[in-house]
Amino acid sequence: MEEIVRQMLRASRWLWLHAEDYGMDQDRLYVGGHSPAGISSAMLMAAIWPVFDPQLPKDLWKGGSRSAVYTTCGRSSTSTANVDLRLDEATAMRLSPAFMPPASAAPVMTCVGGDESSEFLRQNALLGERWRGAFAGDIPMPGRTISRWSTASRPGEPAVPGRAQLMKLDK
């Protein structure tokens, strides 16, 4: 898991440094992810970019959207996620975005299916509480569970307008 995070940091650095080479605006880079990538996107929002590379801005990502059932890596070394990722409890807590502060005030939105378990809903709310200064709101996904997220980015789905607002595309 830690190597995945290092790879994401290096990839984000490369993207920011080369954005203009590909016609992208460095001031309009947003990160988002679903499920494990939702945890990853929150971790990127917590990265202290100038420490990683002094030429990077504090707010490399201008905002983030995470649709995930987990905000924290599993709480015990025997949780399914931790066994699969070979994480002990201390590493799992260290890699859990809910226990990291956001690195900037760049807005972060969350969404989780309304039909998810109470634990998933609790973890989603936890990130909003812990990241209060950057939290831009939760996108309600009524009647959804993780198994019905394949359509979450299609026009007409509840997450689309929220993400467009986050990226200032709704104007």
Side-chain angles (χ1 to χ4, degrees):
M1 181 73 178
E2 290 172 304
E3 180 55 30
I4 293 169
V5 173
R6 283 190 286 276
Q7 290 174 8
M8 292 183 324
L9 293 170
R10 288 190 302 268
S12 296
R13 176 189 177 276
W14 185 93
L15 178 64
W16 192 85
L17 292 173
H18 296 276
E20 291 179 5
D21 298 343
Y22 293 91
M24 293 182 281
D25 182 348
Q26 291 172 316
D27 291 324
R28 294 187 55 102
L29 296 177
Y30 292 82
V31 64
H34 164 65
S35 204
I39 292 175
S40 300
S41 66
M43 293 174 78
L44 290 174
M45 295 296 294
I48 304 170
W49 295 104
V51 171
F52 184 70
D53 183 332
Q55 61 188 324
L56 299 178
K58 184 176 182 178
D59 62 344
L60 183 143
W61 296 108
K62 304 309 176 198
S65 168
R66 61 173 301 282
S67 47
V69 292
Y70 292 109
T71 297
T72 61
C73 295
R75 289 185 174 179
S76 78
S77 59
T78 59
S79 77
T80 304
N82 288 359
V83 170
D84 291 344
L85 294 171
R86 297 183 184 106
L87 300 176
D88 59 34
E89 189 168 351
T91 303
M93 295 303 286
R94 191 175 70 253
L95 296 176
S96 295
F99 302 106
M100 301 174 187
S104 75
V108 175
M109 294 186 93
T110 61
C111 53
V112 66
D115 289 350
E116 295 292 357
S117 73
S118 60
E119 178 59 15
F120 292 162
L121 296 172
R122 183 195 70 77
Q123 288 190 31
N124 190 64
L126 179 64
L127 190 72
E129 292 167 17
R130 300 262 177 138
W131 287 30
R132 203 169 296 128
F135 187 61
D138 184 63
I139 302 167
M141 299 291 289
R144 303 288 177 159
T145 62
I146 193 68
S147 64
R148 294 191 52 211
W149 278 79
S150 61
T151 62
S153 294
R154 293 185 184 160
E157 288 292 322
V160 173
R163 290 179 177 146
Q165 178 185 6
L166 176 75
M167 295 185 287
K168 301 177 182 115
L169 297 174
D170 60 333
K171 298 176 179 10

